[in-house]
Amino acid sequence: MRTQDGKEEVFGPFNPPERPFAEVAWVGEGVGYQIFPERFYNGDPGNDALALETDEYRFNQVWQRSSGPKPHLSHWSDPPSPLHCCHQYFGGDLAGVLAKLPYLKALGVSVLYLNPIFDSGSAHGYDTHDYLKVSPKFGDKSLLRKLLDEAHRLGMRVIFDFVPNHTGLGFWAFQDVVRRGPRSPYWNWYFIKRWPFLPGDGSAYEGWWGLGSLPKLNTADPGVKRYLIEVAKYWIRFGFDGVRVDVPGDVLNPHAFFKEMRAELKAIKPDAYLVAEIWQRDPSWLRGDEFDSLMNYAIGRDILLRFAKGGSLALYNARRALADLARVYALYPEAVAGMGFNLITSHDTARLLTELGGGGLKDVPSPEARARQRLAAAMLYALPGLPVTFQGDECGFTGERPADPPHELNRYPFQWEKCHGETLAFYQELAGLRQELAALRSAVFRTYFGEGHLLAFFRGEPGEGEVLAAFNSGVEAATLPLPPGGWRDPLEGRTYRKEVAVPPLGFRYLLHLGR
């Protein structure tokens, strides 16, 4: 590949997989949405108190001996407490997700990604207590069945969140180790440094990131590996359409583990969608024998977010952004690009509007910050693959991730009555454009223009029907020279030739009408 400044970049050599894999067709056709169930919508207040009955505090003897705050319930709009991250419960549940499926349908959503819904000790759910049980605070299997059936009836696919690297303190195998020590048949499922110990004491066993609340599983143990893979198979058979795997790079012998998992899941459901939480570009996971996609933070945050922030051209201009996009799509096979799990923000980042200058949870965003969010979203929806929005970003909510308590303010409950109508309508419009313009749902990406604040690329096969997507991160209008032929803006209903003005902090999707 030759860059715009004439430098040559070499990619490869590539080693084609023994079995080249095909794109999971329904992924790139759709629009994705991430739900953090505990903070989405409270559809059944009757199960709220069950959160306290399963919380980590019941198992964490170190915490029980401390004088710190304890898990508690809150009303939906109560202020964040010091335990906001993990043990302040607001009552969101599966009944709430079910109730809001019509809202998601109107938003154009066709793929739902649910953060952990299985029995756990926290609001976030990444400390599993029972992999085969729905968290009582969220509902039960019969309600989950109803949710999946209704989502499928509405044309939506649903992906579950799977945590194979570590468990919570209440997981039955860990509790057996606590009670029986080396006599437990599950002793080798963990990395115990001394026994007896108090659950929650991270110095007595290995925990994820050293956390005593998240004891690490020994996935090199055949029993652990078989148990976890059977869990994933169970939920695919139950009716889920795919799985997002938490921190797969931290699993022991990860490539061998996920090759085996993929083979067994695809044998059950060939079009199951497998996504890895890998934040950087890394094609080693995408050779057709492990995952279908990574969570593409490397595109959404490293490229789109940086470009949408605007600012000094010396820091990150359109030429650099276009070159970075070209590198990504030169690195990945077209099938991988076509089913990319593309996102800018999630439960693990600040909210999109906050990232783009909109302020924190209590602040009022400026018109420029809102315009930059629209610009970033328009770029996300124009890429090959699946654009994924974190709940509430489509409503223009803010939320930072402060270092001091209360943490994770990006996860504050979805304040439905405060949804910003103009932003919501914009996201609905983007979903409509993806349905109207077939090229936006293809896997084909080609660069076109990158100068100053103006960036443009082609989508779809060359010729009639392809789309030229253009984006301006500057505060003044910019003129884009057009390729030969007529180019229609579907939002305006107007056709352009030779050149077109791209509005400040704006975008255009232009449909090629032919010569």
Side-chain angles (χ1 to χ4, degrees), residues 3-195:
T3 62
Q4 286 183 311
D5 54 9
K7 296 180 181 178
E8 187 173 301
E9 291 194 30
V10 177
F11 293 83
F14 295 106
N15 296 315
E18 293 182 9
R19 286 183 172 180
F21 63 113
E23 180 182 337
V24 177
W26 56 264
V27 176
E29 295 282 327
V31 169
Y33 191 87
Q34 178 188 352
I35 292 179
F36 193 87
E38 214 282 319
R39 309 288 169 80
F40 185 60
Y41 184 66
N42 189 348
D44 180 11
N47 59 27
D48 292 1
L50 298 179
L52 300 183
E53 296 184 13
T54 59
D55 188 85
E56 173 199 336
Y57 184 81
R58 295 174 63 89
F59 305 93
N60 191 325
Q61 295 180 25
V62 174
W63 188 2
Q64 291 170 10
R65 298 182 181 195
S66 74
S67 58
K70 297 175 175 57
H72 59 95
L73 302 178
S74 294
H75 296 296
W76 196 252
S77 299
D78 282 355
S81 80
L83 293 182
H84 179 264
C85 155
C86 311
H87 303 283
Q88 179 183 15
Y89 295 97
F90 292 89
D93 49 30
L94 293 183
V97 178
L98 180 61
K100 292 298 183 180
L101 286 181
Y103 165 85
L104 297 170
K105 182 69 175 177
L107 188 59
V109 171
S110 60
V111 181
L112 294 180
Y113 155 44
L114 302 178
N115 283 118
I117 61 169
F118 309 122
D119 191 17
S120 69
S122 66
H124 57 69
Y126 288 96
D127 49 351
T128 313
H129 289 172
D130 191 334
Y131 285 89
L132 297 176
K133 179 182 179 182
V134 173
S135 175
K137 65 181 175 288
F138 292 152
D140 55 23
K141 285 183 182 176
S142 63
L143 180 57
L144 176 59
R145 169 69 63 199
K146 187 176 181 181
L147 170 60
L148 291 176
D149 288 347
E150 181 62 11
H152 290 155
R153 189 187 71 80
L154 293 172
M156 298 180 190
R157 313 273 184 152
V158 188
I159 299 168
F160 72 95
D161 211 333
F162 183 43
V163 189
N165 180 69
H166 48 266
T167 68
L169 299 181
F171 183 56
W172 49 266
F174 186 77
Q175 282 296 305
D176 195 76
V177 170
V178 171
R179 291 190 298 269
R180 301 168 64 186
R183 294 183 295 111
S184 169
Y186 309 110
W187 177 260
N188 290 326
W189 281 37
Y190 294 94
F191 300 92
I192 309 301
K193 300 175 184 178
R194 68 174 187 275
W195 182 85

Side-chain angles (χ1 to χ4, degrees), residues 1 8 16 39 108 110 137 148 177 201 219 258 263 292 348-349 355 361 372 387 389 398 514:
M1 183 183 84
E8 187 173 301
R39 309 288 169 80
S110 60
K137 65 181 175 288
L148 291 176
V177 170
D201 179 1
T219 46
F258 293 111
D292 296 317
D348 284 327
T349 73
E355 297 271 23
L361 183 64
R372 291 196 182 278
T389 297
T398 53

